[in-house]
Amino acid sequence: NEISSVDPSSCSTAGNVSVTIFGGPFLSSLQPGNLFCKFGRISVPGLFVSSSQIQCNTPPHAAGSYPLEITQNGQDYTQSRYSFRFYHECTIHSIYPVTGPAIMGGTIVRILGEGFIESTSLYCRFGEAEVPATFVDSSEIHCSAPPTKEEGLSWLVLPDQRHNRTILEDQMLLPMSHHYPNYL
């Protein structure tokens, strides 16, 4: 039994991600309870998919890279030492700027936080739109805000947010905002 590739090859320390392991040959005639995946020292049950594919759900695990091995008899694990990485969830502390031109987009947004990882799957989400992020370091990434469609935009005067039923009476749309008089 050999592992040729794994998808995905990393997940957060929270685990519970379905991982597909490619390789084989994997046996369909296994007795229940004999197919396992081992992430570091933690074994979890496996699911036979085909002679070249099995699936396992990752366990919660400490951050770091660990060998991923499989067994089809519940005892003898592969020795391929295929590397699987567990990472901390990223945390966002602030973004700057918090506003920009909506219709044309293009504003470079700095996201400051912790736990960012340089990866080809690093994205920012603005509403429903996802855009690739640029990794600066583990505490900063940049994203270019996408353009939005004009029909999705509407004006709302901040002092009116309590009176036009756009929010519940005890919620503030922008709790840290202040209304300043307009000067012409």
Side-chain angles (χ1 to χ4, degrees), residues 24-160:
F26 304 123
L27 307 173
S28 64
S29 60
L30 293 175
Q31 291 182 347
N34 282 342
L35 181 60
F36 288 92
C37 300
K38 185 165 62 170
F39 297 85
R41 294 186 174 171
I42 303 173
S43 292
V44 294
L47 174 67
F48 176 84
V49 176
S50 72
S51 64
S52 62
Q53 237 181 68
I54 59 174
Q55 288 183 331
C56 295
N57 280 345
T58 58
H61 206 290
S65 291
Y66 298 91
L68 169 59
E69 306 295 350
I70 59 166
T71 181
Q72 295 189 78
N73 65 11
Q75 298 174 18
D76 302 313
Y77 282 88
T78 56
Q79 298 296 314
S80 62
R81 301 195 58 81
Y82 196 92
S83 184
F84 191 89
R85 186 168 51 89
F86 290 89
Y87 55 82
H88 291 288
E89 288 284 338
C90 62
T91 303
I92 296 174
H93 297 300
S94 63
I95 62 171
Y96 182 81
V98 295
T99 62
I103 296 171
M104 64 183 193
T107 301
I108 301 299
V109 180
R110 278 180 72 205
I111 297 98
L112 303 175
E114 55 190 80
F116 299 127
I117 297 172
E118 187 168 15
S119 165
T120 57
S121 59
L122 186 60
Y123 285 86
C124 292
R125 180 176 293 146
F126 293 84
E128 298 293 318
E130 285 188 355
V131 296
T134 302
F135 180 83
V136 176
D137 60 36
S138 65
S139 63
E140 183 174 349
I141 60 175
H142 295 171
C143 292
S144 178
T148 59
K149 295 184 173 140
E150 193 167 358
E151 64 266 11
L153 302 175
S154 61
W155 287 98
L156 176 63
V157 178
L158 291 178
D160 292 345

